[in-house]
Amino acid sequence: MALLSGCSHSGDSASPAPQSGSSIVMSKDGDTLYIANGDTNTVSVVDAKERKVKKEISVGKEPRELALSADGSTLYVTCRYANSVEWVDIDKGTVLGTVKTGIEPYGIVESPDGKLLYVTNYRSGTVAVVDTESRAVLKEVKAGTNPRAVAIAADGGKLYVSDYLTSATTIFDTASMDPLSAKKLADSPDLPDRKKSQGKPNTVEQLRLTPDGKSLWEAHLLTNTDTPVQFEEVIFPALSVVDAQTGQEDAKSRKELFKAIDVKDKFGKTIIVSNPTDIVFSPDGNKAYALMGGSEDLLVFDIARGGRAGQIIHHLPGDLPIGMVMSKDGGSLYIHNSSSHDLTVVTLPPADEEGGQARVDGKPLKLIGQDRLNAQQRLGKTLFYSANSDDFALTGSNWMSCASCHSDGEVDQLSIMTAKGPRNIPSNVLAFETGLFMWDGSRDEFDDYIHTVQGEMGGLSDVDPAKPLPADAKKLFDALKAYMTMPDAFPVPQSPFRTEDGQLTADAERGKAIFEGKAQCVMCHAADVMTDSVKATGSDGKLTTDNTSFLHNVGTVNSADVDYGGDARGAFSNKRERGLFDTPTLRGVYATAPYLHDGSAATLEDVIKRAGDEHGHTSDLSEKEISDLVSYLKQIQ
């Protein structure tokens, strides 16, 4: 029998059970926990009964998810930024070997017989099938653009893979690895009340099969893209339910804020939750426990009684909870907090106890010996992912975090409405190295984001943005910057379009010559960072919004764009004329679709073909030249 992951187990310990990829897994006997410590590049082995760390094992860069061999001796670890899966000898605490499965391997599950691993490769857009004995990749198949969460049926016959950003779930027949179904979650319809849950599904963090294997639950966000961005009206948490056989979503079963997700505080006011990260089920399938990574909450849904949320543990101890596993007897939940690197235990009431409540049991257990991040960087990472406004003043009423729009620090493939017009969510990759901030270059220092915090996220409302930030607010901004400027916080995505040894292909080499020559793209997308925005400096050599020489009108203005009158932070001298935009970097551009300031170009081909000679000199490029140029753009990293 394979590993028990999450609450994916039945009452019969001898029967196979549905599995899901997770950062925390449990041994078959339930005595030991294994936890991937992401940014510290280690795995912790924990005695579940004694609540003690038995050992901490060094592994490759950015371990994300784990699976356990059938005999319990070997741990399989996806190391995202090492582009590999590692075989770890648990007793010896050493790495036995590795296999390159693709670019940024993320999710992992094991076949019921323990012979195969299924690994999602986030940047390659594939699922790799790996032989556990030979450590060889037997097959690699396409699985959307950014596959992440993965689950496997109890009998091993079906594999479920979600595309993180598009919410499309593909069901594979594991015998052939042919896709049986590929369907996106449906939009939640617009409502007159903008504070009611609505929008496009995105950032699917987890897939979990119910114990009977009939339904697949998905933890994700909804983003309302046609309402001016404001924290109470744009981002909503949701849990969707899909038929595990057909892949068809059961729209009536979706659990959204103010609908099935609605727990009141002592004053009768709805408690806001945010950024779902995981779900597990009681052994009998009558209850679902949903983890809210942003607001750091645990919700309890009574499926047997209509499926509504009946209890909440508000603000669990620990930062950024991302994964859970349930004890063999169904009496405890072990919750992995990935930013504070600790383990929270929640005691659950007996199944036959009427009105029983889940409760936090003791203090979190520290999982690591030494943090690789310093205290300021750690605070910054916690702030970036946290929507817990009771602990951190950057957000309002627990609604959203920075990561709610900048998914995993990068893009969410959506454009949102702002006071300036529609704006494509940009990536934070190289954000501090590429000159002015914002699409219109209207900010020249990070503290200017006080306007985003106040106007969009609902935080720090008592701060006067026209004045220097007070010490407590400055501490938060400095911590965010310290984290976001770490070289490996948001690394430039490696391109899956390059050759196997990482070189430009022949067509990309031709495209590079066009980029630097005939098309003259290099005139603006210049130097190592591939933008001229770094030249927007004053006489003191520092960036300044006063220097507008490197803003460009490339013919992409639309009817919704408006002039910008400046802001208090910029003493209203940072005015901007509609249609003038800052040059974005092209490093990792293949991963940032859609394109242009408003997201109106779905592909790089669209960008070039509509540009004429306003956006470089592209009007007389042949189809072959456009194809070569796009090949080069996709391979820039």
Side-chain angles (χ1 to χ4, degrees):
M1 176 183 169
L3 160 78
L4 297 171
S5 177
C7 183
S8 299
H9 66 274
S10 65
D12 180 3
S13 61
S15 301
Q19 308 293 316
S20 290
S22 179
S23 65
I24 175 172
V25 295
M26 180 180 285
S27 61
K28 186 167 62 174
D29 60 13
D31 291 343
T32 307
L33 302 170
Y34 304 92
I35 302 165
N37 299 317
D39 56 37
T40 66
N41 305 330
T42 65
V43 171
S44 292
V45 181
V46 176
D47 185 312
K49 293 182 179 179
E50 297 294 328
R51 298 189 194 177
K52 292 183 178 179
V53 176
K54 296 163 66 174
K55 64 179 66 174
E56 186 179 357
I57 304 171
S58 294
V59 295
K61 195 169 186 179
E62 197 72 19
R64 281 293 182 165
E65 292 194 349
L66 310 168
L68 191 66
S69 64
D71 63 5
S73 66
T74 306
L75 198 64
Y76 310 115
V77 186
T78 56
C79 298
R80 183 178 184 181
Y81 296 145
N83 294 334
S84 65
V85 175
E86 296 192 349
W87 273 243
V88 176
D89 184 308
I90 296 170
D91 286 340
K92 295 180 179 178
T94 58
V95 175
L96 297 170
T98 66
V99 61
K100 299 289 185 180
T101 60
I103 302 175
E104 294 190 20
Y106 200 101
I108 186 170
V109 290
E110 185 183 28
S111 62
D113 61 11
K115 294 181 179 180
L116 300 173
L117 299 173
Y118 300 92
V119 180
T120 58
N121 298 305
Y122 186 70
R123 298 296 183 190
S124 298
T126 62
V127 174
V129 183
V130 183
D131 184 283
T132 56
E133 184 175 354
S134 66
R135 301 175 197 157
V137 175
L138 304 179
K139 184 178 287 191
E140 190 173 1
V141 298
K142 288 298 295 180
T145 304
N146 296 107
R148 180 173 292 197
V150 60
I152 191 169
D155 63 4
K158 289 185 174 65
L159 188 76
Y160 305 85
V161 178
S162 73
D163 188 296
Y164 181 60
L165 297 178
T166 69
S167 81
T169 300
T170 302
I171 304 177
F172 292 94
D173 176 355
T174 56
S176 62
M177 286 307 292
D178 291 334
L180 302 173
S181 170
K183 298 178 181 178
K184 292 178 64 174
L185 298 176
D187 293 356
S188 283
D190 284 345
L191 298 172
D193 185 349
R194 292 174 175 174
K195 290 180 172 56
K196 298 292 186 181
S197 180
Q198 55 195 292
K200 301 177 183 295
N202 62 302
T203 58
V204 178
E205 296 287 354
Q206 182 59 288
L207 305 177
R208 291 282 189 186
L209 285 156
T210 51
D212 61 11
K214 293 182 179 179
S215 298
L216 184 76
W217 284 42
E218 307 195 15
H220 62 94
L221 293 178
L222 294 168
T223 300
N224 188 10
T225 59
D226 54 9
T227 295
V229 58
Q230 197 267 354
F231 69 106
E232 296 177 308
E233 300 179 354
V234 175
I235 305 293
F236 302 92
L239 304 171
S240 291
V241 182
V242 171
D243 186 292
Q245 295 301 311
T246 66
Q248 186 64 46
E249 181 185 358
D250 180 0
K252 293 182 180 179
S253 295
R254 179 176 287 179
K255 305 187 185 313
E256 302 182 43
L257 197 60
F258 309 118
K259 295 179 183 178
I261 303 177
D262 192 2
V263 183
K264 310 292 186 182
D265 63 18
K266 62 183 179 181
F267 303 107
K269 185 178 180 180
T270 294
I271 299 174
I272 304 301
V273 298
S274 55
N275 295 57
T277 49
D278 202 1
I279 316 121
V280 297
F281 301 95
S282 60
D284 58 12
N286 287 334
K287 288 188 177 180
Y289 300 89
L291 195 59
M292 300 288 150
S295 53
E296 299 167 351
D297 300 324
L298 181 69
L299 284 167
V300 183
F301 292 89
D302 195 331
I303 302 173
R305 298 185 177 183
R308 294 184 63 83
Q311 184 198 351
I312 183 172
I313 298 179
H314 196 34
H315 298 331
L316 292 158
D319 300 323
L320 189 55
I322 62 169
M324 298 184 287
V325 65
M326 184 177 285
S327 62
K328 290 273 290 180
D329 61 4
S332 297
L333 277 176
Y334 300 97
I335 298 173
H336 172 213
N337 304 306
S338 65
S339 192
S340 51
H341 288 302
D342 50 25
L343 182 74
T344 296
V345 181
V346 172
T347 300
L348 305 177
D352 58 356
E353 181 180 312
E354 285 290 331
Q357 298 286 294
R359 301 183 185 280
V360 173
D361 185 359
K363 295 181 179 180
L365 171 67
K366 197 66 179 176
L367 296 171
I368 62 173
Q370 184 173 357
D371 197 348
R372 191 175 65 86
L373 279 62
N374 64 37
Q376 187 181 45
Q377 292 167 338
R378 178 58 62 194
L379 173 60
K381 182 169 186 177
T382 299
L383 291 170
F384 190 89
Y385 288 96
S386 179
N388 182 347
S389 54
D390 292 324
D391 285 353
F392 304 111
L394 286 179
T395 63
S397 303
N398 308 301
W399 275 93
M400 63 187 293
S401 66
C402 305
S404 298
C405 292
H406 298 283
S407 301
D408 215 16
E410 299 184 32
V411 303
D412 63 1
Q413 293 189 348
L414 298 173
S415 298
I416 57 175
M417 185 57 65
T418 74
K420 302 176 183 180
R423 290 294 184 268
N424 183 12
I425 300 294
S427 172
N428 284 308
V429 171
L430 300 177
F432 288 85
E433 299 177 35
T434 51
L436 297 174
F437 298 107
M438 308 294 284
W439 276 104
D440 59 4
S442 59
R443 294 177 184 171
D444 52 22
E445 59 180 31
F446 187 60
D447 290 358
D448 297 344
Y449 279 87
I450 181 64
H451 286 295
T452 296
V453 168
Q454 292 181 330
E456 299 178 12
M457 298 176 65
L460 297 174
S461 58
D462 57 344
V463 171
D464 183 347
K467 297 178 180 178
L469 297 182
D472 54 349
K474 182 65 174 170
K475 177 182 177 181
L476 302 181
F477 277 79
D478 287 348
L480 270 173
K481 183 177 180 179
Y483 166 62
M484 295 173 69
T485 53
M486 290 178 60
D488 54 357
F490 311 122
V492 177
Q494 293 184 41
S495 173
F497 302 100
R498 289 193 169 213
T499 63
E500 284 191 16
D501 61 353
Q503 303 302 308
L504 294 178
T505 61
D507 53 353
E509 289 284 8
R510 292 191 298 270
K512 182 180 180 183
I514 295 168
F515 181 93
E516 296 175 349
K518 184 176 182 179
Q520 295 187 33
C521 308
V522 74
M523 296 298 291
C524 296
H525 295 286
D528 181 61
V529 289
M530 306 197 81
T531 171
D532 58 0
S533 183
V534 293
K535 300 177 183 177
T537 57
S539 57
D540 58 359
K542 296 181 180 179
L543 285 174
T544 174
T545 57
D546 294 338
N547 187 342
T548 59
S549 301
F550 301 97
L551 301 179
H552 307 282
N553 186 337
V554 293
T556 59
V557 65
N558 65 54
S559 59
D561 289 318
V562 299
D563 293 340
Y564 181 53
D567 52 50
R569 186 77 189 166
F572 298 98
S573 65
N574 55 338
K575 296 178 174 61
R576 292 294 185 261
E577 179 184 337
R578 66 192 293 266
L580 288 176
F581 297 106
D582 187 54
T583 308
T585 180
L586 296 181
R587 299 276 300 277
V589 69
Y590 85 89
T592 62
Y595 301 102
L596 305 180
H597 77 281
D598 56 359
S600 58
T603 67
L604 291 166
E605 287 87 349
D606 292 340
V607 173
I608 295 168
K609 290 182 177 181
R610 65 187 278 185
D613 285 332
E614 294 179 291
H615 199 163
H617 292 275
T618 61
S619 62
D620 60 348
L621 294 181
S622 67
E623 288 295 323
K624 181 64 171 67
E625 288 173 320
I626 291 174
S627 177
D628 288 345
L629 179 55
V630 168
S631 291
Y632 172 59
L633 294 173
K634 287 182 176 180
Q635 294 178 43
I636 296 172
Q637 59 184 36

